[in-house]
Structures are given as structure tokens and as C-alpha cells.
Amino acid sequence: MDDQLALCQHKLENQLQQLNDLTLILDAELKALSSRKGDGLKEIAREKLVLLNSIQKLDKELSGFASELFSHEAIIPITKSINEKLLNCKKQNDVNAQAAHQANLAVRELKNILIGAPSSVTYGQDGAVINAEAELVKNIKA
């Protein structure tokens, strides 16, 4: 039983470290999104996916342990930390998803303005909103 406890504790500590690593990746993802520099986003997404797969694999391994192990006094604080870290990661991922959505909307609107899409919105000299009817790019050839 002591070997199982030690192995369980070791796997939980690994999972906690992986969640800490995920927190760092999520922070980097938000910085890349907010700086509007998409260069690193592809690499960050790949790292995030690899780490999530690793966390999921470790979670599956942990599910094979007897449930009594998780009520041991050495394990309880680790599982509590894991649950808190997991909740924080989920919240941060939701924030990142919202930031990505907003960045996408901004890029789409800018594109529509530049190509003079009928639904483009611009501002007049007085600051009033004007729906531009393809007036921004008259007689421009690319």
C-alpha cells in the first residue's frame, strides 16, 4: 500500500507541475493575443495541446488507483491544489477564448473597412458613426 501511495503522490505532483506549466502557456497565449502578434500563437497552441494530452493521460492513470488513497493525509493537500489550479486554468482559458474572439472581430472589421464592404462602419469629422457604402476604396487597384 505504501508503494501505491508513493506512486500516486508522485503522479499527482507531476500533474500539479503540468498544470503550473499550463498556466504559463495560457499567460503566454494571452500576451500573444493582446499584442496582436500571431507569430507565436501556432507554437503556443501546439505546446498547449501536447500538455493537455499529457495531463489527460496522467489523469487516466490516476483513475486506476484505489479511491482510499485520495483520502490519505499526504494526498489531500495535493489534490486540493490540483483542483484549484485546474479551476484557474479553465478561467484563464475562457479569458483567452474571449480575447481571441475580440481580436478576430477587430481584424474582420478592419478588413471590411479596407475593402469597402457595404457594411463597413466609419466615423465622420464630427465623430458620428457613418455606414460607408464602399466609399473608402474608390478607384484603388491592388
Side-chain angles (χ1 to χ4, degrees), residues 29-105:
E29 183 181 53
L30 185 59
K31 285 180 187 173
L33 286 167
S34 64
S35 69
R36 302 209 196 282
K37 293 182 180 177
D39 303 343
L41 278 175
K42 193 180 274 190
E43 178 63 23
I44 290 170
R46 187 192 64 74
E47 289 176 19
K48 185 174 155 181
L49 185 61
V50 167
L51 191 53
L52 286 171
N53 286 335
S54 180
I55 290 169
Q56 186 178 27
K57 180 183 174 195
L58 195 50
D59 199 47
K60 192 173 185 177
E61 291 173 13
L62 284 164
S63 69
F65 286 99
S67 59
E68 306 85 53
L69 288 176
F70 295 97
S71 59
H72 191 275
E73 64 186 39
I75 301 293
I76 291 173
I78 302 170
T79 56
K80 183 179 178 188
S81 295
I82 287 172
N83 288 330
E84 289 171 356
K85 187 62 76 171
L86 186 59
L87 183 62
N88 289 337
C89 286
K90 286 179 181 180
K91 286 178 183 176
Q92 183 64 45
N93 195 58
D94 289 343
V95 168
N96 290 5
Q98 184 64 27
H101 178 71
Q102 291 299 322
N104 186 38
L105 289 176

Side-chain angles (χ1 to χ4, degrees), residues 91-123:
K91 286 178 183 176
Q92 183 64 45
N93 195 58
D94 289 343
V95 168
N96 290 5
Q98 184 64 27
H101 178 71
Q102 291 299 322
N104 186 38
L105 289 176
V107 167
R108 190 178 324 143
E109 184 61 30
L110 179 60
K111 176 185 159 200
N112 287 340
I113 288 170
L114 291 175
I115 64 172
S119 63
S120 292
V121 175
T122 189
Y123 300 95

